Amino acid sequence: MAKHLETLQALVVEHGLDAVVLRSKAMKSWAQVMTGTGCTLVVDAHGAAYLLVDGRYHAQAQETQRDLEVILLPSQDNASIYTGVAELARAKGWSQVGFEGAALSAFEYGTVTAAVPGAVLLGSEIAGMRAVKDAEELARLQHAVDLSEDAFNAVVSQLRRGMTDYEINALVAYECYKRGAERLSFDTIVGVGAYSAHPHCRPCGATLEDNSHVMIDFGMQLGGMQSDMTRVVFTGEPSSELVRMYTTVLEAQLAGIAAMRPGVMGEAVDAAARAVIDAAGYGETFNHGLGHGIGSDNETEGPLLRKGSTTILAPGMVASCEPGVYVAGVGGIRIEDAVLVTPEGGQPLNHVTKDLVVI
Ligand SMILES: [Mn+2]
């Protein structure tokens, strides 16, 4: 069954529109409808919902999307989607139709405005609707987190000195897919030794040596939710500098989690964690924001926890808390959990140990 149709109807009414058109995977996941690229969800001011599909998705849509009116498009190109929306608008007498501004390329915008005269671009209010999760969504997210952690534990048990970051990357993917992942949340970050000083380093053929470490940042998509976690594992006792980096990052992460209470601004949570890293003298190396929303998407999900984020946290929001310290030639340490905002402070959905692990 589709979800949130009433919330989408309210958005349409609130903006004085006749309908809203949703094409981003994140919004279709959130609405729990088919997410294929050839599937477009349209919700009108009366709460009626339509799923425009091309031939690749038609039979599946008719079988599974019984609470939506399924409309078959004549072809699978983008222009046909917007022509289909225009025809629907004509048939229903709609004059103002909202589109996700962030999900349209400049080329598509041209196609949209040519096909649908009353096209209106909607901004961050679209993604903002997803920020607070209900109990069913939290259960789905927790399930994705739990399976990711199972996968992570399985990866750690197979880590060996001499393994390349390519192999570690493949192990992460295998252990996720084996547990039912629909796909990975993003390209896995595997940083071995000094390479981990680049916060988003990708596998490059480096070998996990003795007396080194590996940083793994990954997630799986399951049931329309995307997990996201980071841990560091050491091969042999780490140097005193790496120990100091690790304890600093962990202390910062715990400070960030504690600050994730309702009513607190996103940038204040970032500041709480950053203060710990600043005090340890690593402030300049923490070169990214503390966290981002976690849910249907990892890039557009709110709330953001970073400088300039004025989003006020509310119960039911989930964000990553992922401070890091990165020293060229030595490596990087980042520790990341998905954290639920509660009146008592943040509650991590992750449970894999954050103690310093040596294999
Ligand atoms: Mn993240």
Side-chain angles (χ1 to χ4, degrees):
M1 286 288 286
K3 264 184 89 105
H4 300 303
L5 294 183
E6 286 175 12
T7 312
L8 289 165
Q9 177 191 2
L11 173 95
V12 170
V13 172
E14 185 191 332
H15 286 79
L17 303 171
D18 295 305
V20 64
V21 176
L22 299 168
R23 289 204 59 207
S24 72
K25 186 170 186 190
M27 289 308 295
K28 289 183 285 187
S29 288
W30 180 72
Q32 291 284 282
V33 304
M34 278 171 56
T35 58
T37 51
C39 303
T40 301
L41 177 65
V42 181
V43 179
D44 75 10
H46 309 288
Y50 308 86
L51 193 69
L52 280 59
V53 299
D54 66 55
R56 296 170 294 173
Y57 303 93
H58 192 226
Q60 190 184 350
Q62 285 183 312
E63 284 166 26
T64 62
Q65 313 287 293
R66 293 180 188 279
D67 50 341
L68 307 176
E69 185 175 325
V70 176
I71 297 173
L72 175 63
L73 299 170
S75 101
Q76 65 190 59
D77 58 30
N78 268 348
S80 134
I81 292 171
Y82 298 119
T83 306
V85 170
E87 281 173 12
L88 189 58
R90 237 186 331 270
K92 301 290 177 184
W94 300 337
S95 58
Q96 298 280 298
V97 180
F99 290 83
E100 298 170 85
L104 283 180
S105 70
F107 280 116
E108 282 180 303
Y109 179 66
T111 312
V112 167
T113 47
V116 187
V120 175
L121 291 188
L122 297 170
S124 58
E125 61 269 38
I126 286 276
M129 292 193 297
R130 306 197 307 263
V132 173
K133 275 72 183 171
D134 65 24
E136 184 274 333
E137 287 166 327
L138 286 174
R140 246 190 293 136
L141 177 55
Q142 184 69 63
H143 185 53
V145 170
D146 291 348
L147 291 190
S148 308
E149 296 209 314
D150 283 351
F152 180 77
N153 288 332
V155 168
V156 172
S157 73
Q158 296 169 81
L159 285 178
R160 297 286 179 269
R161 289 152 179 81
M163 226 172 223
T164 65
D165 48 15
Y166 293 140
E167 290 173 272
I168 298 168
N169 184 49
L171 267 181
V172 170
Y174 174 73
E175 295 298 343
C176 286
Y177 284 118
K178 186 174 154 183
R179 286 165 175 77
E182 292 154 8
R183 56 186 290 182
L184 302 182
S185 303
F186 47 86
D187 289 337
T188 301
I189 294 165
V190 180
V192 164
Y195 290 98
S196 59
H198 304 299
H200 272 194
C201 68
R202 299 270 304 123
C204 59
T207 301
L208 180 60
E209 309 282 2
D210 194 19
N211 295 312
S212 184
H213 68 280
V214 57
M215 179 174 80
I216 302 174
D217 182 346
F218 78 105
M220 71 162 74
Q221 182 187 299
L222 190 69
M225 287 294 176
Q226 296 192 355
S227 65
D228 187 353
M229 64 180 282
T230 308
R231 289 291 187 273
V232 174
V233 174
F234 294 86
T235 52
E237 291 303 323
S239 67
S240 57
E241 176 164 33
L242 278 165
V243 171
R244 184 157 177 272
M245 289 163 66
Y246 194 93
T247 51
T248 300
V249 169
L250 181 54
E251 193 190 327
Q253 207 238 4
L254 297 175
I257 291 171
M260 290 177 67
R261 293 183 310 276
V264 174
M265 221 175 250
E267 65 179 7
V269 181
D270 178 279
R274 202 167 291 278
V276 174
I277 293 177
D278 284 345
Y282 289 117
E284 282 186 14
T285 81
F286 180 18
N287 49 17
H288 54 79
L290 178 68
H292 54 80
I294 290 186
S296 305
D297 184 67
N298 295 56
E299 283 172 25
T300 59
E301 202 86 2
L304 292 176
L305 309 179
R306 65 171 74 144
K307 281 175 192 158
S309 169
T310 54
T311 304
I312 307 283
L313 298 190
M317 287 182 173
V318 181
S320 68
C321 183
E322 48 178 317
V325 162
Y326 310 92
V327 177
V330 175
I333 302 290
R334 180 165 67 252
I335 302 173
E336 173 184 23
D337 288 329
V339 182
L340 172 66
V341 176
T342 81
E344 291 77 40
Q347 180 187 308
L349 305 183
N350 293 84
H351 302 292
V352 163
T353 186
K354 292 185 276 195
D355 293 344
L356 195 155
V357 171
V358 178
I359 58 165

